[in-house]
Amino acid sequence: LASYSRAAGFDREPNLNGASEIAASNPDDWAAILWLRQIATSSKNNLPVILEAPGGSYTYAGRISAFSGLPTVLGWAGHEAQWRGTYTEQGKREPDIATIYTSADANLALELLHKWDVRYVIVGETERAYIQRMCEKPENACNLTRSLLKFDTSLKTVFQQGEVTIYEVPQQNEP
């Protein structure tokens, strides 16, 4: 019964391509992944770091890094803890990621993006939901619109399709 349940009653054409579900159900994310794969192919020796919303193990978060092959600041923190044996590194990264996505301060966000050597910032439905969750916490004084505005005003849009935008972070010596 477990196989039947996990396979949704076998109501779809079977295949071994794990990416086919993303391509079919989230075409904007898939287009971003394909665009980033081109970057990865052309940057073989020095893969750029991306920033996407982190999440729990076996969730949709981390989808861009998983399918593009590019490193991210943090994907599934709990999963990383299982492999690392501690939560030390994830504990350093999580607050910075939350600040980058939720702060309205473009200079602070840029400083943190440079700290983690981020080249591309992903903003899709998953990131918007992440920002909204972070902004609902009583200790955070933020809102989605102001949090996203800083990316439009301080970073360069290099990819946009539907609900997904990829921003390029200027190098530290660039204006």
Side-chain angles (χ1 to χ4, degrees):
L1 291 176
S3 297
Y4 185 81
S5 173
R6 294 295 290 165
F10 302 109
D11 66 346
R12 296 185 192 135
E13 184 70 29
N15 73 66
L16 296 175
N17 181 356
S20 65
E21 181 65 26
I22 292 177
S25 61
N26 297 298
D28 297 341
D29 281 349
W30 187 245
I33 289 164
L34 293 178
W35 186 85
L36 286 165
R37 280 183 177 178
Q38 292 176 340
I39 299 295
T41 301
S42 65
S43 307
K44 289 180 183 174
N45 295 331
N46 190 17
L47 293 176
V49 176
I50 64 170
L51 180 69
E52 63 183 319
S57 297
Y58 307 104
T59 64
Y60 192 61
R63 81 260 180 227
I64 304 293
S65 62
F67 286 97
S68 70
L70 295 178
T72 188
V73 177
L74 182 63
W76 296 345
H79 198 76
E80 286 287 327
Q82 291 174 332
W83 287 100
R84 294 176 187 272
T86 72
Y87 206 81
T88 305
E89 189 61 33
Q90 301 88 310
K92 294 175 190 174
R93 294 169 185 245
E94 284 180 324
D96 285 354
I97 294 168
T99 299
I100 292 166
Y101 274 118
T102 62
S103 175
D105 184 341
N107 290 328
L108 175 58
L110 196 56
E111 179 182 318
L112 292 171
L113 289 165
H114 286 149
K115 173 183 174 181
W116 295 107
D117 197 29
V118 173
R119 188 68 180 165
Y120 298 105
V121 176
I122 313 300
V123 176
E125 290 181 33
T126 302
E127 287 69 32
R128 286 182 188 82
Y130 171 78
I131 294 166
Q132 194 63 45
R133 276 193 317 277
M134 293 293 108
C135 288
E136 288 171 358
K137 292 183 176 186
E139 66 270 17
N140 294 335
C142 59
N143 73 55
L144 180 62
T145 304
R146 288 184 54 218
S147 297
L148 292 174
L149 182 61
K150 72 173 170 300
F151 295 132
D152 289 329
T153 59
S154 64
L155 303 179
K156 178 183 175 186
T157 300
V158 291
F159 174 88
Q160 205 287 315
Q161 178 174 313
E163 295 297 316
V164 177
T165 303
I166 300 176
Y167 297 95
E168 185 174 23
V169 178
Q171 298 297 310
Q172 286 186 325
N173 55 356
E174 293 177 12

